[in-house]
Amino acid sequence: MKLLILNGVNLNMTGRRERSVYGTKTLDEINAEIAAFCKARGAETEFFQSNIEGELCTKIQESDADGIILNAGAFTHYSYALRDAIASVDTPVVEVHMSNVHAREPFRHVSVISEVCRGTVLGFGKNSYILAAESFLL
Ligand code: DQA
């Protein structure tokens, strides 16, 4: 089992931006926790972050992973390109958000990717990624 953990726009700032919302751990620290969690369960991990929408689409198109965990950041709310990329592959994608987007600004209540994802995990901070990984490992 191989999982691709894909992070979109501004997620490289995790640990430095809006710490009360996204926590104090950096993306590298969070990724290390995800890698250890998966390794202990016999799963391989690959990590990729980009602020560029098209790079995320290409990564989804070219992935050889068995599953993708995607925190698309703000792209979640308006990227039809990402939605189409997810819909164009057979690889199951689980949408992730660290914050509870439904308890935040109205524009965050809309996800244009949810409909083409296997499921969504949100509101559990960095553990949202771990719970999404677990969904593939059950
Ligand atoms: C986020 C929520 C998005 O609304 C926001 O634009 C992000 C992070 C989250 O992890 O809670 O960048 O996806």
Side-chain angles (χ1 to χ4, degrees):
M1 163 75 71
K2 179 176 169 184
L3 296 178
L4 169 65
I5 295 85
L6 210 51
N7 279 284
V9 63
N10 294 316
L11 272 305
N12 57 311
M13 295 294 288
T14 306
R16 284 180 285 161
R17 72 160 175 160
E18 298 177 90
R19 291 190 183 89
S20 59
V21 180
Y22 302 118
T24 54
K25 299 261 185 190
T26 65
L27 189 59
D28 282 347
E29 289 168 336
I30 293 170
N31 285 347
E33 283 186 35
I34 301 165
F37 178 87
C38 291
K39 193 175 176 198
R41 287 154 185 82
E44 243 186 276
T45 41
E46 179 188 348
F47 297 90
F48 183 77
Q49 186 278 329
S50 179
N51 292 326
I52 301 168
E53 190 182 16
E55 286 187 356
L56 296 165
C57 294
T58 301
K59 199 71 189 172
I60 290 167
Q61 291 168 10
E62 293 180 350
S63 175
D64 63 353
D66 301 295
I68 298 175
I69 294 169
L70 171 64
N71 185 348
F75 291 145
T76 304
H77 311 301
Y78 63 88
S79 175
Y80 298 118
L82 260 183
R83 180 199 164 103
D84 284 351
I86 296 165
S88 70
V89 297
D90 291 330
T91 318
V93 177
V94 171
E95 176 185 0
V96 158
H97 301 286
M98 289 186 277
S99 64
N100 178 356
V101 285
H102 298 295
R104 300 181 65 195
E105 302 94 323
F107 78 87
R108 293 185 207 275
H109 301 180
V110 175
S111 167
V112 301
I113 65 169
S114 288
E115 212 180 340
V116 291
C117 287
R118 174 183 274 183
T120 303
V121 182
L122 62 89
F124 298 100
K126 62 186 172 59
N127 286 331
S128 292
Y129 294 98
I130 299 285
L131 293 167
E134 192 152 33
S135 76
F136 285 108
L137 302 172
L138 286 172

